[in-house]
Amino acid sequence: EAEAVSPGELAEAARQASQALRCNIARQLLGESARGFSTRLADSPLLQSFCGIARLDVIRVPSKSTVDRYGKVVDEQAVRKIIDQVSRAAAEPARRGKQPLGLEKPLDLEAYFLDTTCVQANIHYPTDWVLLRDAARTLVKAIRVIRKHGLKHRMPKPEELIREMNRLSIEMTHTPRKKKDSKRERKRVLRQMKEHMKGIRKHANRYRDLLAERWADTDLSWGQACVVLERMDRVLELLPRAIRQAHERIIAGRQVPNGHKLLSLYEPDLHVIVRGKASVAVEFGNTLLLGETREGVIVDWKLFQEQVPGDTVLVKASVERFSQLFGCNPGALGADRGFDGKGNREWLDQENIYNAICPKSPHMQARKMTDERFVTLQRRRAQTEARVAIFKNGFLGKPMRSKGFLNRERGTGWAVLAHNLWVIARLPKAEGRRAEWKQAA
């Protein structure tokens, strides 16, 4: 039978939850890493007051590990519930002269704007032979850890294995494509890499099995041993795929479809996203859908783990999430021509939602441009591009530091919460609330 929780324990849990929430919001607003935020928190009385750790006697600042755990204490759905509560409160009209958040006007739900972007992963450019170098370094470092803690088997020195792989990598780098016989040289070097990787994989498998069987003979705990084993298992599982991909592209000279490409040994849920932007034509990461109101508040978002076939398939689900959140459909929907499609046009007409999506057909666009409402909404829709840039560069991070899709999804939620609080705080306030703030100041 579970023990009853005392009021003191409940109060301490509430204090910890409030501190975690405030630390996450402040960290997203400042764009700091866990270590950087912990250092800045120790130096700033203002941040200490906001995060609820300001005291007269002793100020205990959360460490970098604690700050990192604060960001992972809840899942993405819990963060979404908080954001939905804030959005509904901001959209609620004033009752008896008072708006829940003290805004002069509630959020305008008459217009809704969509756009997609790419959340780039924190990886290097996925060159095929570089994946082999990454695998060699990871496996040899794991072997060194196992040897350091007392388990050894006959093999060459780990430093020699790394040195040989670095030599081959340098030789591959200094074989320019425009040089005479460059293809033959690249094939020769890659064959040497593949042969070298066979030896490294053989030693890694032997040490992996040795650690799994005799971890009790080391000074490692089972949890620490599991970390090393999982790291080796992940690389050993993907290594044949990386070798096959490099062989197909460099030796066989055949293209590999984007859906079958291995982009990273450490981030499996990444995709090649071709958007044709002026800054970068090809990006590597996950597609992110953002939906904002006229004021710039993000009321819907979704980070996709799988490859998205196109923007047209995202419209209906996003509008349905909007309707579920606010209890009504938006009056109009604005987006770029990537969201246009016959099915979306028919569905928006059925739902009595004004279609302000830029059409793909030039003739249809010419007819639409004679509609003043369409022109006004498309002019406002152009600001959504700036909203995406503000969100990605100012709150999400470029690139995003989180590792693993679940952590990136959760981090996106925290970034949306911090962004919305920042936007709502800058909206005009009601007269009574402004007077209260001036009096308090």
Side-chain angles (χ1 to χ4, degrees):
E1 189 173 334
E3 297 181 0
V5 181
S6 65
E9 292 174 336
L10 284 176
E12 176 63 19
R15 187 191 69 80
Q16 288 285 346
S18 175
Q19 181 174 309
L21 176 64
R22 289 173 174 268
C23 284
N24 286 330
I25 293 173
R27 179 184 169 192
Q28 293 291 338
L29 286 171
L30 296 174
E32 291 281 5
S33 63
R35 186 187 298 274
F37 179 76
S38 178
T39 303
R40 195 161 177 177
L41 187 59
D43 187 56
S44 173
L46 179 62
L47 280 178
Q48 294 168 8
S49 176
F50 176 78
C51 295
I53 63 172
R55 293 172 59 100
L56 291 176
D57 48 0
V58 179
I59 298 176
R60 290 183 171 84
V61 177
S63 66
K64 64 175 181 62
S65 299
T66 303
V67 171
D68 184 64
R69 284 195 297 270
Y70 281 165
K72 302 174 182 177
V73 70
V74 295
D75 59 8
E76 190 265 350
Q77 291 299 322
V79 181
R80 185 178 288 270
K81 289 180 181 178
I82 299 174
I83 299 171
D84 289 348
Q85 290 178 1
V86 174
S87 300
R88 279 193 290 263
E92 189 175 334
R95 295 179 180 177
R96 297 181 181 178
K98 290 186 177 181
Q99 207 276 338
L101 298 185
L103 300 178
E104 184 178 2
K105 296 179 181 178
L107 294 184
D108 183 8
L109 304 182
E110 191 61 27
Y112 181 49
F113 304 94
L114 289 177
D115 202 358
T116 56
T117 185
C118 173
V119 177
Q120 296 190 54
N122 190 14
I123 62 172
H124 58 67
Y125 195 87
T127 308
D128 304 305
W129 59 267
V130 177
L131 296 178
L132 304 186
R133 185 205 64 184
D134 293 344
R137 290 180 177 180
T138 300
L139 293 176
V140 173
K141 284 182 179 180
I143 291 174
R144 292 175 65 180
V145 170
I146 297 173
R147 290 171 63 89
K148 179 181 177 181
H149 290 279
L151 297 180
K152 293 186 178 181
H153 198 282
R154 290 184 61 184
M155 66 170 289
K157 291 183 179 180
E159 293 79 8
E160 294 179 359
L161 297 177
I162 289 292
R163 188 180 298 114
E164 177 63 16
M165 179 56 73
N166 287 341
R167 185 190 68 79
L168 294 172
S169 299
I170 293 172
E171 191 172 351
M172 180 70 82
T173 303
H174 288 268
T175 306
R177 296 179 183 274
K178 295 183 179 180
K179 185 179 177 181
K180 185 179 180 180
D181 295 334
S182 62
K183 289 185 178 180
R184 183 182 302 173
E185 286 297 311
R186 289 170 64 84
K187 292 178 181 180
R188 179 186 63 81
V189 176
L190 182 61
R191 290 189 179 99
Q192 293 182 10
M193 280 188 171
K194 290 169 60 178
E195 190 65 27
H196 188 54
M197 281 305 307
K198 287 182 181 179
I200 293 177
R201 181 167 55 179
K202 179 182 66 175
H203 296 303
N205 279 317
R206 185 182 297 123
Y207 271 88
R208 188 262 174 220
D209 296 338
L210 193 63
L211 179 61
E213 294 172 3
R214 297 176 50 193
W215 70 270
D217 297 339
T218 68
D219 57 352
L220 294 172
S221 67
W222 174 239
Q224 291 171 332
C226 283
V227 171
V228 178
L229 291 173
E230 290 174 2
R231 185 181 305 159
M232 298 182 75
D233 287 342
R234 180 176 63 247
V235 175
L236 288 171
E237 180 184 358
L238 294 175
L239 183 56
R241 184 177 166 190
I243 294 175
R244 184 168 58 253
Q245 176 174 300
H247 177 91
E248 287 292 307
R249 288 170 59 86
I250 296 178
I251 295 180
R254 291 188 288 263
Q255 291 186 349
V256 178
N258 286 340
H260 298 161
K261 284 181 181 177
L262 178 64
L263 303 178
S264 174
L265 296 173
Y266 318 107
E267 295 285 348
D269 299 312
L270 302 181
H271 308 285
V272 179
I273 301 177
V274 182
R275 300 180 61 83
K277 298 293 184 180
S279 57
V280 54
V282 180
E283 298 172 289
F284 307 99
N286 300 97
T287 300
L288 173 64
L289 172 70
L290 292 177
E292 64 163 351
T293 63
R294 192 184 294 272
E295 294 84 0
V297 178
I298 299 173
V299 295
D300 182 53
W301 76 97
K302 186 172 179 59
L303 186 67
F304 293 91
Q305 185 173 7
E306 302 297 333
Q307 183 80 46
V308 178
D311 292 347
T312 55
V313 301
L314 308 178
V315 173
K316 184 176 180 180
S318 180
V319 174
E320 287 176 349
R321 288 192 294 269
F322 181 99
S323 304
Q324 185 178 2
L325 175 61
F326 297 110
C328 63
N329 285 335
L333 176 66
D336 58 33
R337 65 184 63 220
F339 292 85
D340 182 51
K342 182 179 179 181
N344 287 336
R345 292 194 294 268
E346 294 175 353
W347 183 78
L348 290 174
D349 187 57
Q350 273 183 346
E351 296 293 324
N352 293 323
I353 300 174
Y354 182 79
N355 184 7
I357 300 176
C358 184
K360 296 178 181 178
S361 169
H363 301 289
M364 189 178 296
Q365 183 179 5
R367 290 199 304 270
K368 283 272 193 178
M369 291 300 290
T370 61
D371 187 346
E372 184 178 352
R373 186 181 182 186
F374 175 82
V375 173
T376 302
L377 290 172
Q378 274 294 307
R379 187 178 294 118
R380 167 59 186 82
R381 197 273 309 167
Q383 300 178 25
T384 306
E385 299 284 348
R387 179 63 50 193
V388 171
I390 290 171
F391 178 72
K392 288 179 62 176
N393 299 330
F395 295 89
L396 201 58
K398 189 179 179 181
M400 196 176 185
R401 289 191 175 97
S402 301
K403 296 290 185 180
F405 176 78
L406 293 180
N407 290 329
R408 287 199 297 274
E409 186 181 42
R410 186 189 297 113
T412 303
W414 284 118
V416 171
L417 176 60
H419 169 271
N420 285 357
L421 292 176
W422 175 73
V423 171
I424 292 173
R426 295 157 63 92
L427 294 177
K429 305 299 183 296
E431 288 294 335
R433 183 59 61 89
R434 286 202 297 267
E436 291 176 6
W437 285 6
K438 288 181 180 179
Q439 186 176 0

